[in-house]
């Protein structure tokens, strides 16, 4: 397999293929002096010591001696491979990397154009190649996927089923955004949403004595035994025996005491739809401020009162009395110098109210014009805002996370230093408040109402910036829920332990985008459909759609027999509309309305024609689906 890229995702993906799937990998990266980002191992060793000193200096009052953390996972060293250095993936470079003989090629450069150009060249060199592209533009990715598949079919001399290579277009931002967004929310810890499938993994506290925990659809994991220990290691990917247990069996769940669980739930989205792409007309309530609306209401009440008084004094018809009052209000009626004293007083009062009406009408016009103009510009955080999410960084990742949060109707305030950042247009379209400024400067987080915020998502591309923002936010509000985007596992472990020791009652989570995205890219290179990934602390649980045929671990076995604790578990059966799942009595009624049948009985026998959705660990999926995993590799 060949992996080409210029940042940490390429190194993480190559390590994933070597360490988990035991594949032979050729890694193509730019020369050392021109790399956008150093490799995982090199960057971790070069910067880890200095960054740990920064953390320890910021929170040295805790006196925690375990802040150095454990060894971070770099994907393993299993498998074989080589590394080539090339500025661009030209035809000669791809040929030197062995694309003509390769099974799969991943193009994960940060530039979409580079990936597309290299994919077209690779498809010409090897029509049977399994292509995996990293593209941020989702609409373009759909067209490119169809184009490359059609090209492969024609080059192979047949249709899509003639053995031609397939193409998969993925985005690291789309893969990681649901987990990053959901981590900041209460009750929505992890979310997987693909192909109409919406699942939620909820972290639940240990049940009290006498209580029975609700397992939901199933229990996905047992959280770390050290989750209540400030110096615990549950911030790292590999936490030993006390770390998280993925896909435990019923006996392990019953035996676990004092440990939280991660339960899977199926939910449907019921929030409001996203705003239209163009700036729409604001609602009436947003055109005018509350003070101005009260002023207009008061003037309208005065007009009604004057009309009623005129009707009582003169005995006119209500409509005629209202008409005369309006004429007096706008000073276009004749003077009532020949009328009685009551009529004259009412005319003077109407003129006085008319004078008050002019500035109110002018203010209404100016405020409405300002509201229409601000609909296409950046908004400022409103007064009294609280319980919101502060999002740092509107790059590729931040933009996708912002969209996810707004889909769930979560109030967000963004902080961005670059006024030309990628996500500024999205923030304007969604009418999300944005604070322009460097988050490390004093007063920027205050402008984002950090002291009243519910959580902080630090998603810039610089680890030190994310850490500095979190430390300052914690000094303002010690129990603030924070989620950091950290690149290196060693550094993430050190940060997590130290922040937990300094603020034991506050929730701290660290996430790596490459760590969340690499399993999906690796699964796509193996030719499998990865529906999504859910992080459990710093480990990852994958959801994949698998054909039962050809897998002796599944075919001909019942759902209960196919379940392997710590490796994989069958969750649902995919059926056609109106099809009934044989042997599945309870879910068969719902099969007419849904393509997925949930809560399969343990006695249901999996047939070769079935297609199932399963949850699996990375190593479990490699053992089930990998070509080399069946050769007795220890998983």
């Amino acid at each position: 397999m060949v992996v080409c890229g210029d940042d940490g995702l390429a190194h993480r993906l190559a390590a994933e293929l070597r360490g988990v799937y035991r594949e032979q990998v050729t890694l193509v990266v730019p020369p050392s002096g021109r790399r956008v980002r150093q490799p995982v191992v090199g960057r971790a060793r070069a910067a880890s010591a200095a960054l740990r000193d920064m953390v320890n200096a910021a929170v040295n009052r805790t006196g925690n001696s375990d802040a150095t953390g454990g060894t971070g996972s770099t994907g393993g060293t299993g498998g074989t491979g080589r590394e080539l250095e090339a500025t661009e993936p030209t035809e000669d470079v791809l040929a030197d990397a062995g694309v003509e003989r390769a099974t799969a090629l991943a193009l994960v450069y940060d530039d979409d154009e580079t990936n597309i150009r290299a994919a077209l060249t690779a498809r010409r060199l090897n029509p049977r190649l399994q292509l995996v592209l990293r593209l941020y533009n989702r609409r373009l990715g759909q067209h490119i996927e169809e184009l490359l598949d059609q090209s492969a079919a024609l080059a192979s001399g047949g249709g899509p089923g003639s053995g031609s290579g397939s193409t998969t277009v993925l985005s690291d931002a789309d893969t990681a955004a649901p987990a990053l967004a959901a981590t900041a929310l209460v009750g929505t810890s992890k979310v997987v949403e693909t192909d109409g499938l919406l699942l939620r993994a909820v972290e639940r506290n240990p049940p009290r004595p006498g209580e029975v925990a609700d397992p939901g659809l199933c229990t996905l994991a047992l959280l770390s035994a050290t989750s209540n220990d400030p110096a615990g290691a549950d911030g790292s990917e590999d936490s030993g025996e006390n770390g998280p247990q993925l896909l435990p069996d019923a006996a392990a769940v019953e035996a676990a005491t004092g440990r939280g669980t991660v339960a899977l739930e199926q939910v449907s989205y019921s929030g409001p739809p996203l705003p239209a792409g163009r700036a729409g007309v604001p609602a009436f309530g947003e055109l005018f401020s509350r003070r101005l609306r009260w002023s207009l209401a008061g003037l309208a009440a005065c007009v009604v009162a004057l009309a009623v008084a005129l009707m009582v004094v003169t005995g006119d018809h209500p409509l005629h009395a209202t008409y005369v009052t309006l004429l007096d209000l706008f000073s276009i009626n004749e003077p009532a110098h020949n009328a009685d004293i009551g009529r004259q007083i009412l005319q003077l009062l109407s003129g006085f109210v008319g004078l008050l009406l002019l500035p109110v009408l002018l203010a209404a016009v100016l405020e409405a014009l300002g509201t229409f103009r601000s609909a296409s510009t950046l908004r400022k955080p409103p007064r009294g805002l609280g319980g919101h999410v502060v999002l740092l960084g509107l790059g590729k990742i931040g933009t996708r996370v912002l969209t996810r949060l707004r889909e769930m109707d979560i109030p967000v305030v963004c902080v961005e230093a670059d006024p030309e950042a990628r996500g500024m247009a999205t923030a304007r379209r969604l009418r999300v408040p944005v604070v322009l400024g460097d988050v490390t400067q004093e007063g920027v987080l205050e402008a984002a109402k950090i002291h009243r915020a519910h959580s902080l998502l630090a998603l810039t591309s610089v680890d030190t910036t994310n850490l500095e923002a979190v430390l300052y936010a914690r000094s303002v509000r010690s129990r603030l829920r924070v989620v950091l985007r950290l690149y290196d596992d060693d550094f993430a472990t050190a940060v997590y332990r130290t922040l937990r020791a300094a603020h034991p009652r506050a929730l701290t989570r660290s996430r790596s985008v490459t760590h969340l995205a690499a399993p999906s890219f690796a699964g796509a290179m193996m030719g499998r459909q990865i529906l999504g990934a859910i992080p459990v602390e710093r480990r990852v649980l994958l959801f994949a759609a698998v054909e039962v045929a050809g897998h002796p671990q599944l075919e001909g076995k019942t759902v209960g027999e196919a379940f392997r604790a710590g490796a994989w578990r069958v969750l649902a059966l995919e059926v056609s509309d109106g099809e009934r799942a044989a042997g599945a009595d309870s879910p068969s009624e719902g099969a007419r309305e849904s393509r997925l049948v949930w809560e399969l009985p343990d006695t249901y026998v999996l047939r070769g024609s079935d297609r199932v959705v399963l949850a699996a660990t990375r190593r479990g999926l490699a053992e089930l689906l990998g070509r080399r995993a069946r050769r007795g590799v220890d998983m």
Side-chain angles (χ1 to χ4, degrees):
M1 295 190 173
V2 182
V3 177
C4 303
D6 57 358
D7 62 3
L9 180 58
H11 297 274
R12 175 77 74 170
L13 177 56
E16 184 86 11
L17 292 171
R18 291 170 181 166
V20 177
Y21 293 93
R22 298 298 191 267
E23 292 290 339
Q24 182 178 356
V25 182
T26 298
L27 178 61
V28 180
V29 292
S32 300
R34 301 188 59 179
R35 292 178 186 172
V36 176
R37 209 156 194 183
Q38 296 298 324
V40 173
V41 177
R43 183 175 182 270
R45 299 298 178 264
S48 181
L51 293 177
R52 289 195 191 102
D53 291 341
M54 175 183 175
V55 180
N56 294 330
V59 290
N60 55 11
R61 291 175 298 177
T62 62
N64 180 26
S65 60
D66 293 332
T68 56
T71 302
S73 172
T74 59
T77 58
T80 59
R82 62 191 179 112
E83 182 173 322
L84 300 177
E85 291 189 350
T87 304
E88 293 183 358
T90 61
E91 183 174 350
D92 294 337
V93 171
L94 293 176
D96 189 21
V99 168
E100 297 177 356
R101 304 178 305 276
T103 302
L105 167 66
L107 297 167
V108 292
Y109 290 93
D110 192 56
D111 180 52
D112 287 2
E113 182 179 351
T114 301
N115 293 328
I116 295 174
R117 184 169 61 248
L120 296 174
T121 303
R123 180 59 78 207
R124 187 178 71 253
L125 295 175
N126 186 354
R128 298 180 181 274
L129 187 68
Q130 174 79 19
L131 275 176
V132 178
L133 277 72
R134 171 191 184 183
L135 295 182
Y136 181 79
N137 190 327
R138 289 176 288 186
R139 180 176 298 179
L140 176 61
Q142 294 176 355
H143 296 307
I144 292 296
E145 186 172 336
E146 295 175 359
L147 175 64
L148 291 174
D149 284 344
Q150 183 179 5
S151 174
L154 293 176
S156 300
S162 61
S164 59
S166 62
T167 306
T168 304
V169 176
L170 297 175
S171 168
D172 57 335
D174 286 332
T175 303
L180 290 170
T183 305
L185 307 180
V186 174
T188 310
S189 301
K190 295 103 181 173
V191 174
V192 172
E193 181 181 8
T194 51
D195 299 332
L197 174 69
L198 183 60
L199 301 175
R200 178 176 63 180
V202 182
E203 292 185 9
R204 294 177 176 173
N205 296 325
R208 298 177 181 177
E211 291 184 352
V212 178
D214 181 13
L217 292 175
C218 68
T219 299
L220 293 178
L222 296 174
L223 296 178
S224 298
T226 59
S227 59
N228 295 324
D229 181 7
D234 48 322
S236 63
E237 180 182 0
D238 186 7
S239 304
E241 297 180 357
N242 292 328
Q245 295 183 18
L246 303 184
L247 301 176
D249 54 18
V253 174
E254 293 179 1
T257 57
R259 301 180 64 168
T261 60
V262 178
L264 183 67
E265 295 180 353
Q266 184 183 12
V267 297
S268 59
Y269 175 66
S270 59
L274 281 175
R278 60 182 181 86
V281 178
F284 176 80
E286 299 181 4
L287 284 175
F288 309 116
S289 64
R290 183 178 180 182
R291 182 179 300 178
L292 186 58
R293 294 197 301 269
W294 278 109
S295 299
L296 291 174
L299 289 175
C302 292
V303 172
V304 172
L306 290 173
V308 172
L310 182 61
M311 181 183 63
V312 173
V313 171
T314 61
D316 286 346
H317 189 273
L319 292 179
H320 185 265
T322 303
Y323 172 71
V324 173
T325 301
L326 292 176
L327 292 180
D328 294 336
L329 187 71
F330 295 111
S331 301
I332 56 179
N333 196 11
E334 294 181 359
H337 55 274
N338 294 326
D340 55 13
I341 188 65
R343 174 70 182 89
Q344 293 176 349
I345 294 176
L346 290 176
Q347 189 176 56
L348 291 176
L349 291 176
S350 299
F352 179 73
V353 173
L355 294 177
L356 297 178
L357 179 63
L358 290 178
V360 175
L361 291 178
L362 179 61
V365 172
L366 295 178
E367 196 168 281
L369 290 176
T371 303
F372 276 105
R373 183 175 57 185
S374 63
S376 59
T377 59
L378 294 176
R379 305 181 66 192
K380 295 182 179 180
R383 294 180 179 179
L385 178 65
H388 58 287
V389 176
V390 177
L391 174 62
L392 309 184
L394 284 176
K396 294 194 304 182
I397 306 300
T399 303
R400 290 288 193 254
V401 172
L402 172 62
T403 303
R404 292 282 181 172
L405 291 173
R406 292 305 301 134
E407 286 176 350
M408 293 182 283
D409 198 28
I410 303 300
V412 185
V413 174
C414 300
V415 179
E416 175 57 53
D418 183 10
E420 302 298 328
R422 185 190 297 264
M424 283 298 189
T426 302
R428 293 188 183 96
R429 176 173 62 87
L430 299 179
R431 306 189 67 196
V432 174
V434 178
V435 177
L436 286 176
D438 187 354
V439 70
T440 60
Q441 295 179 353
E442 187 176 356
V444 175
L445 284 177
E446 284 82 353
K449 315 293 184 183
I450 191 66
H451 57 286
R452 291 200 297 266
H454 170 268
S455 56
L456 171 66
L457 274 169
L459 303 181
T460 69
S461 58
V462 182
D463 286 0
T464 53
T465 300
N466 295 334
L467 177 59
E468 185 174 354
V470 168
L471 292 176
Y472 180 75
R474 278 284 169 81
S475 68
V476 176
R477 187 176 180 183
S478 60
R479 302 189 65 175
L480 180 70
R481 176 192 294 254
V482 298
V483 180
L484 297 86
R485 174 189 176 187
L486 296 179
Y487 180 77
D488 169 46
D489 280 333
D490 284 348
F491 179 49
T493 302
V495 170
Y496 179 85
R497 289 182 174 182
T498 310
L499 287 177
R500 282 292 303 273
H503 305 280
R505 296 186 178 181
L507 181 61
T508 303
R509 290 290 182 266
S510 61
R511 296 288 181 258
S512 168
V513 173
T514 58
H515 178 78
L516 295 174
S520 295
F521 280 82
M525 293 186 72
M526 300 299 295
R528 312 299 173 183
Q529 183 182 3
I530 303 297
L531 299 179
I534 284 180
V536 179
E537 296 172 6
R538 282 187 70 85
R539 301 181 66 182
V540 175
L541 198 60
L542 301 177
F543 291 80
V546 178
E547 301 285 349
V548 174
H551 300 292
Q553 303 94 330
L554 303 177
E555 189 173 3
K557 296 186 177 181
T558 65
V559 173
E561 294 172 346
F563 170 54
R564 180 178 296 182
W568 62 76
R569 178 172 187 165
V570 176
L571 298 178
L573 174 68
E574 183 175 336
V575 296
S576 302
D577 292 338
E579 181 182 351
R580 300 177 67 90
D585 297 333
S586 66
S588 60
E589 297 179 358
R592 299 180 181 276
E593 301 178 357
S594 174
R595 297 179 62 245
L596 291 175
V597 177
W598 297 93
E599 299 181 2
L600 287 170
D602 290 341
T603 56
Y604 175 72
V605 180
L606 298 175
R607 300 168 296 180
S609 59
D610 288 340
R611 190 168 186 262
V612 297
V613 174
L614 53 83
T617 62
R618 293 185 299 171
R619 295 186 181 275
L621 189 63
E623 181 180 355
L624 182 64
L625 307 178
R627 299 194 307 269
R628 302 178 186 270
R630 298 193 182 96
R631 298 182 180 178
V633 177
D634 182 17
M635 289 296 178

